[in-house]
Amino acid sequence: MKIKDITDHIEQLAPLHYAQDFDNVGLLVGEYTTQVTGVLITLDCLESVVQEAVEKKCNLIVTFHPIIFSGLKHLKPTDYVRRAVLKAIKHDIAIYATHTALDMAYGGVSYRMAQELKLQNVETLVPERSVIKKLQIHVPETHKNNLQEALFMAGAGQLGNYSECSFSITGTGTFKGNEHSNPALGSPGVREEASEVLLEMTYLPHLERSVLSAMKEHHPYEEVSYSIQTLENEYARIGMGTVGELEQPLASDEFLKLVKTTFNAGVVRSSLSRKRNIHKVALLGGSGSFAIKDAINKGADAYITADLKYHDFFQGENILLCDVGHYESEQFTKNLLQEYISEKFSSFAILCAQTQTNPVNYT
């Protein structure tokens, strides 16, 4: 099994296409063609984690946070980033990062937070807009079914819990090829009329290459008449954060105890909210101050995230803002990835790193 087999599977859950522009995700060190001896999963790829991979004979580290975030002008061991990268190169260990690709994923970081809190009716807190693509194709009526099936196989026509979604309408198409053409119907220089179908279906942009390849391979015309639009719709299966409901409402002090225990937090910083009972809860792993208003607009009684600043807490008059810590909010990512990869590669050892990587100490 090669590294690409593992990363391809991860990208079915968390396509790199949806990572934030500032991020640095994917294979950071190593080659996709390398045979895998073992996989070690970590939240942060420090030098000590690379050493653990060496000792456990794992030549692929799957890390949540990318160890290389900005350009490296030299590889002298002068800081924690370069020391980790040098050690990985020295021992032929590959490093692959998921970060915001997994943040954006349906079933990703914030969904795992909701699972740990046992929330119900969970949905995406901040769904992405302008992500769905709509494909319109004119195809001869005789070839419509074959083309439609090929596009479904390539991943087009999926909407939430539904697949093989499309719309079609029949009409008459006309065309005339020049002297250099090789028309599938009729002859060059003669205008032809054909019974054609306008076939419409949607797809996600990370599938565009395979969808268009299937279209061109299975369409009979030399020149395919098609158009692509980006829809303004929200898409609830790609986005940041989650929101869901506790099975039973809790008093705010009892809820804070639950949060501290669930996330094993050294401390939970919270706002002076007027909320006395907590039922609907929003969550966002990592730095989540940007989504406070989204949590309020969703009607959440509480919002669990990290890295809130002093003035952020003033927004918590009518919502209980809870800062559990950056590491604490994302800690379950290791278990999420281990379970997901192990389900596909059940006969292969997928290990969670035991090295402690939280840089924050509580006294």
Side-chain angles (χ1 to χ4, degrees):
M1 181 171 57
K2 296 180 180 180
I3 286 175
K4 187 163 175 46
D5 296 319
I6 301 285
T7 59
D8 280 353
H9 182 58
I10 294 172
E11 288 167 27
Q12 289 180 29
L13 169 66
L16 301 183
H17 181 93
Y18 306 110
Q20 299 295 289
D21 291 340
F22 66 81
D23 210 355
N24 188 30
V25 294
L27 191 64
L28 307 182
V29 176
E31 298 183 47
Y32 282 112
T33 55
T34 300
Q35 292 289 329
V36 179
T37 61
V39 179
L40 188 69
I41 300 172
T42 184
L43 197 65
D44 302 281
C45 186
L46 306 179
E47 183 182 12
S48 53
V49 173
V50 179
Q51 180 59 38
E52 182 179 349
V54 173
E55 293 170 0
K56 293 180 176 177
K57 296 180 171 53
C58 296
N59 68 341
L60 172 60
I61 295 174
V62 176
T63 179
F64 180 64
H65 293 127
I67 184 62
I68 303 172
F69 216 104
S70 55
L72 299 177
K73 293 188 176 181
H74 65 81
L75 281 175
K76 293 177 287 187
T78 53
D79 58 32
Y80 77 98
V81 173
R82 290 171 173 84
R83 287 195 296 271
V85 172
L86 279 169
K87 194 174 193 71
I89 293 172
K90 179 179 178 180
H91 293 278
D92 292 324
I93 293 174
I95 302 174
Y96 179 91
T98 61
H99 205 207
T100 56
L102 192 58
D103 279 325
M104 295 288 287
Y106 185 79
V109 177
S110 299
Y111 275 87
R112 185 53 181 252
M113 293 172 70
Q115 181 182 329
E116 295 294 329
L117 271 179
K118 298 180 172 58
L119 298 188
Q120 303 174 340
N121 305 317
V122 178
E123 61 184 36
T124 302
L125 176 62
V126 190
E128 278 288 277
R129 285 185 177 275
S130 304
V131 66
I132 303 173
K133 302 278 191 175
K134 183 172 78 170
L135 175 65
Q136 296 180 310
I137 318 165
H138 298 93
V139 59
E141 193 170 7
T142 53
H143 290 73
K144 177 253 186 180
N145 290 341
N146 184 47
L147 177 61
Q148 183 182 51
E149 189 64 30
L151 292 171
F152 288 156
M153 292 294 293
Q158 296 185 18
L159 287 171
N161 293 322
Y162 295 84
S163 61
E164 302 188 8
C165 303
S166 70
F167 177 80
S168 58
I169 188 169
T170 304
T172 300
T174 65
F175 51 87
K176 180 171 72 172
N178 63 22
E179 66 273 17
H180 303 294
S181 65
N182 184 26
L185 299 174
S187 304
V190 179
R191 186 175 68 200
E192 296 291 334
E193 288 192 357
S195 178
E196 294 183 341
V197 173
L198 175 61
L199 180 62
E200 295 183 353
M201 57 181 69
T202 60
Y203 65 89
L204 293 175
H206 73 280
L207 299 172
E208 183 161 283
R209 180 177 295 182
S210 60
V211 168
L212 295 185
S213 177
M215 178 193 73
K216 292 172 182 177
E217 180 181 350
H218 292 86
H219 199 291
Y221 286 174
E222 185 178 26
E223 297 287 350
V224 181
S225 171
Y226 71 98
S227 63
I228 297 172
Q229 294 175 273
T230 300
L231 305 182
E232 294 296 320
N233 309 45
E234 285 186 348
Y235 186 63
R237 292 195 170 223
I238 299 173
M240 288 284 190
T242 51
V243 59
E245 298 169 341
L246 294 167
E247 185 176 0
Q248 297 292 334
L250 289 176
S252 57
D253 58 342
E254 291 300 315
F255 175 75
L256 287 170
K257 290 177 184 177
L258 173 66
V259 171
K260 187 173 183 179
T261 301
T262 301
F263 292 94
N264 193 26
V267 65
V268 177
R269 299 191 301 146
S270 60
S271 63
L272 297 173
S273 171
R274 298 190 183 99
K275 292 286 183 179
R276 293 293 173 260
N277 292 293
I278 307 300
H279 185 213
K280 194 169 188 178
V281 182
L283 310 100
L284 197 151
S287 303
S289 61
F290 68 90
I292 292 174
K293 286 185 172 60
D294 294 282
I296 293 171
N297 291 337
K298 289 280 189 177
D301 302 310
Y303 177 42
I304 302 170
T305 187
D307 300 343
L308 296 182
K309 296 180 180 180
Y310 176 84
H311 288 95
D312 293 329
F313 286 98
F314 285 111
Q315 300 180 62
E317 292 179 306
N318 296 306
I319 186 171
L320 182 62
L321 301 178
C322 305
D323 186 330
V324 297
H326 197 116
Y327 175 91
E328 288 78 7
S329 71
E330 297 173 338
Q331 62 186 294
F332 305 115
T333 303
K334 290 197 300 184
N335 309 90
L336 163 65
L337 286 169
Q338 183 195 36
E339 292 163 12
Y340 176 77
I341 299 171
S342 297
E343 186 177 1
K344 171 75 171 180
F345 304 100
S346 56
S347 61
F348 201 80
I350 312 294
L351 308 176
C352 279
Q354 299 303 305
T355 303
Q356 173 58 255
T357 63
N358 188 356
V360 179
N361 184 48
Y362 299 99
T363 57

